[in-house]
Amino acid sequence: MPPRKCGDIYPSTVAEIRHAQTNVFNQLKLAIIGQSLFGQEVYSNLRKQGHKVVGVFTVPDKDGKADPLAVAAEKDGTPVFKFPRWRVKGKPIPEVVDAYKAVGAELNVMPFCSQFIPMNIIDHPKHGSIIYHPSILPLHRGASAINWTLIHGDKKAGFTVFWADDGLDTGPILLQRECAVEPNDTVDTLYNRFLFPEGIKAMVESVQLIADGKAPRVAQTEEGASYEGIQKKSNAKVRVDLAQPAEAIHNWIRGHDKVPGAWTVIDGQSVTLYGSSMLGGSAPAGQPLEMEGASQPGLVTKNGLVLYGTDGKPLLVKNLQFEDGKMIAASKYFSSGESSSVELTDDEKKMAEEIKNIWKGILSNVPAVEDTTDFFKSGAASMDVVRLVEEVKQKCAGVQLQTEDVYMATTFQDFIQMFVRKLRGEDQEEELVIDYATKEVNNMTVKMPYQCFINGKFEDAENGKSYGTINPTDGSTICKVSYASVGDVDRAVAAAKEAFDNGPWGRMNPRDRGSLLYKLADLMEEHQEELATIESIDSGAVYTLALKTHVGMSIQTFRYFAGWCDKIQGKTIPINQARPNRNLTFTKKEPLGVCAIVIPWNYPLMMLAWKSAACLAAGNTLVLKPAQVTPLTALKFAELSVKAGIPKGVINILPGSGGMVGQRLSDHPDIRKLGFTGSTPIGKQIMKSCAVSNLKKVSLELGGKSPLIIFSDCDMDKAVRMGMSSVYFNKGENCIAAGRLFVEESIHDEYISRVVEEIKKMKIGDPLDRSTDHGPQNHKAHLDKLLEYCEVGVKEGATLVYGGRQVDRPGFFMEPTVFTEVEDHMFIAKEESFGPVMVVSKFKDGDVEGVLHRANDTEYGLASGVFTRDINKAMYVSERLEAGTVFVNTYNKTDVASPFGGFKQSGFGKDLGE
């Protein structure tokens, strides 16, 4: 039977399958025939489901190391057989067949198998054999199916679980799954994102269908069937044809990435191209490079080598490998031979000797390792690269070494030079390259990064997509911003995980971590006017408010939590002694790891600070998604974080959609906690995804309909002023805004009259005008929603006292609005407007219990307030109000030291404070 292969792939994601304990499953006796981490995961999850694995048949140990499947099975005490082959000269080996039959399997499960399995083994069990194949059969039969999916530019990828027969991937189909192929997907990203985790689930599901007698057998059609063989680098067919459209070139390179590698001719020598992506927009400036067979010269830029298709569209190649095996960053093509050697210290010479011993252990066929010994020419393979990297990291903790570094320094001398530079940190401080969008506004030049920020660098989205972010003052486009893809999320999470697991951040003294956060706060203060200006043009915030609150409180938040870094303490716990021993128990608080943060558009920078400052102070790393409509201050913050010295990978910022970026963050198995501020329906979806994926921790600050009760014995001037602030602060785009005012009957009319009088004095206009009181709503869709909200209020019979209309001027301006005679059953009494709409209901004089019942008759519980001169009444009412915050004779007074969060469907978990 042909080998079952899907290319050289190294998944970084481990799928885990859990089933409810109440379910009762039919169980089978299984033989697992195969290898790899994929095989190990299928084996482990089948055992979790209760199936009995009676034998594991895998490949022999290589260089003294067992296959992951064998390691797991041997640990569990499962019988393991490591046959070098199953047949000789086309005939089954009797001893091997007998050993297999002796285990008594009812089904063969073949998750990934590179050996030829005889048909008398395939057909022997009661239920036969099932195989996993990484394509949507009958498409791409044979080996390297994932590669061919990309090479052909398929829009969909997927896998098939099928019943084995005597053909080449031609057996009846049991189950298929598919996913979309992203424009810049690689073999690795497709496998890690979908084929690996979903494939494990599908194999387990298939076995259960067989056990339950429900497994289908759908005959494969020959219509659309294709077969492609394994490509070899020596094959001239692997050479990339540069005389075709850019997308076809990109597909060819990414489909051959890593193994075997697509090559072309540059300056008379074969050069292999790695790391291709389509470029959105125009290419940056660079130095021309003649490419044999290309429609026009390439361009060596700071980001890599730009190639052009016959359609004139550009693509970017990250790395180049020469005939001698040396790999370089494509951006260094014209300067690849310029680096000078470094003189080693005595300690570094000792380390070099230890590394030489590692090389000797791997290159056992080489008599002696010399300076000129080439790792790959001495017979090393890709798995040896992984071993070298891991052994060196184990010997020399703290050195950030990647597999790519080995390909770029293939001789022992070059490897030691590269290692020493990394050890000294000489390669760490790359100058931050930023393509700014600049704007002359507010009597200054504001410089705004607009690309994704991943692993310490600003770069375009993997798919090359971008979108316009809009100035709500006039509806104009400020600039184009990168539109992050699922692939960008995966890269950002991987960078954050690497920074947490192996970077300096995880090993840093907490006090030093605090120093960096203090420095970051200082830089934010230095740039506060620029940050406030960006916030104003991107979100519509009045500049003076942006300066004081949006930016000012953000700075305070980072300073507050910087001080907490070295004050996070555990406890010692007295316990009963187990005589004659004396025991000690203590707790140690540790960071969780990679955290995801999804923030809203009403306070873009402040919400970033509230969520991320505490996260960083505790030692976590983060991936943050700003709101799609307000990404610019988050990206400016990323720039400042680099200047503050925050190590790469600790902070990652991904502008884009919630449906794509936010959902992937919720689903990602390497994220340990997600913090979200936004609507209750989205919060519920996030909580569900976080539970289903890997049970990640969640904190949610969601919707509100905060009640404000104004008693007749209040300070009327203060109640009017603060009541207006409770509704109209930040144009009403305020999570704790008073969604409903209850005014005692005897003062109701006077109160409304005075509020309307004050509204008429408010100046509506350009938020950068220092005298403006009320700026534009954040974006057009939100303005439309508010106008519809007001229409509903009128239709239901509430009295529109003032406003309710769009202001007759460019931009997204809305009149401050007042509704009275609002009854409890009305839509506007129950639902949040999140805008400048005051919703007022009166209550009978002295009816404290009645108004409390009405105030609490909501599924939300974020904030609330009470105005009265009676301290007893204030304390009684505040105690009875069901909300996370109760304001007494004030409103909107938050402080970084005071915890903030809600009850009921307003969420759980706290921001700010200890």
Side-chain angles (χ1 to χ4, degrees), residues 33 40 75 120 158 195 226 297 339 366 384 400 470 523 551 586 682 741 755 893:
I33 304 175
Q40 175 196 317
K75 184 179 178 182
N120 61 338
L195 300 175
S226 64
S339 60
V366 176
D384 298 313
Q400 300 301 298
I470 305 300
L523 282 166
V551 179
F586 66 91
I682 299 299
L741 274 66
V755 164
K893 299 298 181 186

Side-chain angles (χ1 to χ4, degrees), residues 611-656:
K611 299 285 186 192
S612 62
C615 174
L616 295 168
N620 299 288
T621 58
L622 63 88
V623 180
L624 182 141
K625 191 199 89 65
Q628 184 172 340
V629 291
T630 53
L632 295 179
T633 44
L635 294 170
K636 188 69 180 179
F637 167 82
E639 176 193 346
L640 299 180
S641 75
V642 176
K643 292 181 178 178
I646 305 290
K648 68 176 185 178
V650 173
I651 295 171
N652 303 273
I653 310 287
L654 298 175

Side-chain angles (χ1 to χ4, degrees), residues 590-895:
E590 297 180 343
L592 292 167
V594 182
C595 296
I597 296 172
V598 180
I599 57 173
W601 43 258
N602 57 329
Y603 295 102
L605 186 63
M606 194 172 80
M607 291 296 99
L608 176 152
W610 281 25
K611 299 285 186 192
S612 62
C615 174
L616 295 168
N620 299 288
T621 58
L622 63 88
V623 180
L624 182 141
K625 191 199 89 65
Q628 184 172 340
V629 291
T630 53
L632 295 179
T633 44
L635 294 170
K636 188 69 180 179
F637 167 82
E639 176 193 346
L640 299 180
S641 75
V642 176
K643 292 181 178 178
I646 305 290
K648 68 176 185 178
V650 173
I651 295 171
N652 303 273
I653 310 287
L654 298 175
S657 75
M660 185 181 297
V661 177
Q663 185 62 50
R664 179 57 180 157
L665 290 172
S666 302
D667 292 336
H668 204 292
D670 288 334
I671 290 172
R672 294 300 166 199
K673 181 172 183 178
L674 189 147
F676 171 73
T677 297
S679 72
T680 297
I682 299 299
K684 289 179 179 180
Q685 178 60 42
I686 284 175
M687 190 172 175
K688 180 180 177 182
S689 298
C690 288
V692 169
S693 55
N694 63 336
L695 210 64
K696 55 177 68 72
K697 298 181 75 172
V698 184
S699 64
L700 303 172
E701 195 249 279
L702 307 176
K705 187 67 174 173
S706 301
L708 174 58
I709 303 173
I710 300 173
F711 289 100
S712 58
D713 59 354
C714 67
D715 178 335
M716 180 63 83
D717 290 341
K718 194 173 194 181
V720 169
R721 187 174 69 254
M722 300 305 296
M724 290 181 64
S725 174
S726 76
V727 176
Y728 303 127
F729 189 81
N730 199 47
K731 312 110 63 183
E733 295 167 353
N734 187 19
C735 50
I736 57 172
R740 193 174 180 193
L741 274 66
F742 295 92
V743 181
E744 201 158 9
E745 194 168 24
S746 58
I747 63 166
H748 175 273
D749 292 350
E750 179 189 356
Y751 185 85
I752 298 301
S753 174
R754 292 186 57 175
V755 164
V756 171
E757 186 181 330
E758 292 301 317
I759 289 175
K760 291 176 180 177
K761 299 175 185 176
M762 291 172 67
K763 180 178 178 180
I764 302 172
D766 184 353
L768 293 174
D769 184 336
R770 305 312 193 260
S771 63
T772 294
D773 298 302
H774 189 78
Q777 305 309 136
N778 187 277
H779 52 281
K780 178 68 163 60
H782 183 54
L783 173 63
D784 293 341
K785 178 185 165 190
L786 288 171
L787 296 172
E788 184 182 342
Y789 184 91
C790 292
E791 288 174 10
V792 171
V794 172
K795 286 177 182 176
E796 287 192 327
T799 301
L800 178 60
V801 176
Y802 193 89
R805 297 183 300 271
Q806 182 174 357
V807 178
D808 186 16
R809 58 168 293 160
F812 312 140
F813 292 85
M814 181 177 177
E815 296 175 335
T817 300
V818 180
F819 277 102
T820 62
E821 306 298 331
V822 177
E823 298 178 14
D824 295 351
H825 68 273
M826 292 180 177
F827 175 81
I828 63 173
K830 294 180 176 294
E831 296 300 323
E832 179 181 31
S833 71
F834 212 65
V837 183
M838 182 179 284
V839 176
V840 184
S841 300
K842 66 177 70 169
F843 66 96
K844 292 181 180 179
D845 291 347
D847 187 12
V848 176
E849 296 301 329
V851 74
L852 276 170
H853 175 76
R854 295 171 70 190
N856 287 329
D857 186 21
T858 172
E859 275 301 301
Y860 301 110
L862 188 56
S864 61
V866 55
F867 278 82
T868 176
R869 285 192 172 98
D870 185 337
I871 186 63
N872 292 323
K873 188 191 295 181
M875 294 303 295
Y876 178 78
V877 169
S878 61
E879 195 172 283
R880 297 283 304 279
L881 283 169
E882 297 170 357
T885 300
V886 182
F887 297 107
V888 178
N889 292 329
T890 188
Y891 210 89
N892 285 326
K893 299 298 181 186
T894 53
D895 186 87

